[in-house]
Amino acid sequence: MQSNLSPSVSDLEKSRSGLCEEFATITGTDSAVAQCYLAENDWEMERAVNSFFEADMERIFEEDFQESDCVPPKKKQKVEEEPSKECIDLTGDSPVARKPPDEDDGKLSLISWNVDGLDTDNLAERARGLCSYLVLYTPDVVFLQELIPPYVQYLKKRAVSYLIIEEAYFTGMMLKKSRVKFLESEIVTYPTTQMMRNLLVAQVTFKGQKLCLMTSHLESCKGHAQERMKQLHTVMQRMKDAPDDVTVLFGGDTNLRDTEVAKVGLPSGVCDVWERLGKQEHCRYTWDTKANNNKAVPFVSRCRFDRIYLRPASKEGVPRLAPDHMALIGLEKLDCGRYTSDHWGLYCSFTAG
């Protein structure tokens, strides 16, 4: 008799078939490759996908590691505390590493970017492109999405002035060590998800102010609108429930449409930074196939998928962060003829008053 405590053969086959389909979609492979990696990793999706990309991308990044005499660590670490002394920091406080002229040390600066690590074409050069923007803008905080393991290892070797937190599935943060003090982080798992999405949350301090930083890559495609709105609701609830002496910043590739945000609604005190700054047209579209040809699509799509939300601290006597400036970055083509990502990055600065 079939035990009620274990799945039937047909249920197990159905479940594993679904996992194979999902793996193939993420990695751009077929069911045979998917079955191999999943079976080797006890049918745990995240382990299998990480294993695939670590193996597939080792060759692409090999030249960069050899140039800096750095060997990638065999064991992935969640937070990189002490980099190797032999590594070359491409993002340090060199003479060329300066904030834009309108910035000063009292402002908080942030970059949010879907770096499209799932697209492995020209990825080494595109990763170097990201580092060049870190040098140019020296952001205090960086939110990254589609951040595959080899990309993380590259950043750990080439951005040693940053603390890297990569605890969420394909999502990570970078914190400027000299300006942002890391306290703790956690992963918030969405109630339901199609592609193992989750929310990465970090508690930090900046110039004595308490900040809660959050980033995520919400469900994509029109057909997953309901799931995406549930995820947005989870994010907004976290922003609403944060203590009143804490400023909360959320950013990432939200895949949101304005109608979806309207249905969910923003809690009191939470603002869309782009809207607060006057809905400037020059930084409206972060996914723009009319201007960005990294993805060969037979249609024009211009969307504001990448967004940043702010909930300032409300407690009396606590400085309140306010949006000061926003711009798109990544608009220049690299030597390979492609952009750093198929998404433009968002650069924001905030003043404390």
Side-chain angles (χ1 to χ4, degrees):
M1 177 181 295
Q2 175 68 40
S3 170
N4 291 329
L5 299 179
S6 60
S8 66
V9 173
S10 59
D11 288 342
L12 185 62
E13 289 178 351
K14 183 178 180 180
S15 173
R16 290 184 172 179
S17 176
L19 288 173
C20 286
E21 290 179 7
E22 185 176 337
F23 181 98
T25 299
I26 294 172
T27 61
T29 57
D30 55 31
S31 59
V33 173
Q35 187 174 21
C36 176
Y37 276 94
L38 284 163
E40 288 180 352
N41 289 278
D42 299 324
W43 294 92
E44 293 185 16
M45 178 65 74
E46 183 168 356
R47 281 176 51 191
V49 171
N50 285 344
S51 176
F52 171 83
F53 280 116
E54 285 171 351
D56 188 54
M57 295 306 299
E58 189 176 59
R59 173 187 55 80
I60 293 180
F61 286 98
E62 184 178 9
E63 180 180 349
D64 289 288
F65 286 126
Q66 288 177 345
E67 287 175 358
S68 60
D69 295 326
C70 292
V71 179
K74 296 297 183 181
K75 182 178 180 181
K76 184 175 70 174
Q77 297 178 349
K78 294 301 183 182
V79 177
E80 185 83 356
E81 291 290 354
E82 296 295 334
S84 167
K85 293 181 180 179
E86 297 179 348
C87 296
I88 301 172
D89 183 12
L90 297 184
T91 59
D93 296 320
S94 65
V96 297
R98 295 289 183 264
K99 292 181 182 298
D102 61 338
E103 295 296 307
D104 61 51
D105 287 344
K107 294 182 180 181
L108 175 76
S109 56
L110 179 152
I111 284 177
S112 181
W113 207 342
N114 178 333
V115 294
D116 195 23
L118 299 178
D119 175 3
T120 58
D121 290 345
N122 309 110
L123 190 53
E125 184 172 345
R126 288 166 43 222
R128 289 193 293 271
L130 170 63
C131 284
S132 71
Y133 284 102
L134 297 182
V135 169
L136 178 63
Y137 288 92
T138 61
D140 300 308
V141 177
V142 184
F143 295 154
L144 298 173
Q145 302 86 49
E146 292 199 18
L147 190 65
I148 66 173
Y151 209 134
V152 174
Q153 297 301 335
Y154 178 88
L155 291 174
K156 285 181 178 179
K157 298 302 179 182
R158 294 303 181 89
V160 297
S161 59
Y162 284 88
L163 176 69
I164 299 176
I165 310 167
E166 39 102 15
E167 296 185 8
Y169 189 67
F170 288 163
T171 306
M173 291 187 194
M174 301 175 66
L175 308 175
K176 190 74 172 176
K177 294 177 183 178
S178 61
R179 291 170 57 83
V180 181
K181 181 180 179 181
F182 171 74
L183 301 177
E184 61 181 357
S185 64
E186 65 173 311
I187 297 173
V188 177
T189 302
Y190 295 123
T192 59
T193 181
Q194 299 294 324
M195 297 284 279
M196 299 183 300
R197 315 273 181 156
N198 45 35
L199 176 67
L200 177 58
V201 182
Q203 307 296 334
V204 308
T205 60
F206 172 80
K207 301 292 184 180
Q209 301 177 54
K210 297 178 183 178
L211 302 180
C212 175
L213 306 174
M214 307 195 302
T215 186
S216 187
H217 187 182
L218 303 188
E219 210 72 61
S220 58
C221 302
K222 284 186 177 181
H224 292 148
Q226 292 300 319
E227 179 64 30
R228 186 164 49 248
M229 286 189 288
K230 291 178 183 177
Q231 293 168 354
L232 177 62
H233 177 76
T234 297
V235 171
M236 290 300 140
Q237 192 64 44
R238 289 285 303 211
M239 298 188 79
K240 177 183 177 182
D241 293 343
D244 62 359
D245 64 339
V246 175
T247 291
V248 187
L249 275 166
F250 167 75
D253 180 2
T254 69
N255 285 301
L256 287 166
R257 284 71 168 169
D258 291 341
T259 54
E260 297 167 2
V261 177
K263 289 178 181 178
V264 175
L266 300 184
S268 175
V270 175
C271 73
D272 181 317
V273 170
W274 177 75
E275 292 182 350
R276 178 61 58 89
L277 289 173
K279 301 182 178 181
Q280 297 167 317
E281 194 65 25
H282 71 271
C283 52
R284 175 188 292 269
Y285 301 115
T286 64
W287 166 262
D288 187 354
T289 62
K290 182 178 180 180
N292 189 318
N293 62 356
N294 271 26
K295 288 285 188 290
V297 294
F299 55 85
V300 172
S301 177
R302 310 183 79 198
C303 301
R304 192 165 69 91
F305 285 156
D306 305 83
R307 303 182 181 215
I308 297 173
Y309 291 96
L310 166 70
R311 196 221 68 176
S314 59
K315 187 175 182 178
E316 186 176 351
V318 176
R320 294 174 60 88
L321 280 188
D324 174 69
H325 175 71
M326 175 179 280
L328 296 182
I329 62 174
L331 305 177
E332 297 80 22
K333 281 190 175 182
L334 305 170
D335 290 342
C336 63
R338 305 182 78 220
Y339 296 97
T340 301
S341 173
D342 60 328
H343 286 246
W344 305 135
L346 281 176
Y347 171 83
C348 287
S349 63
F350 302 83
T351 58

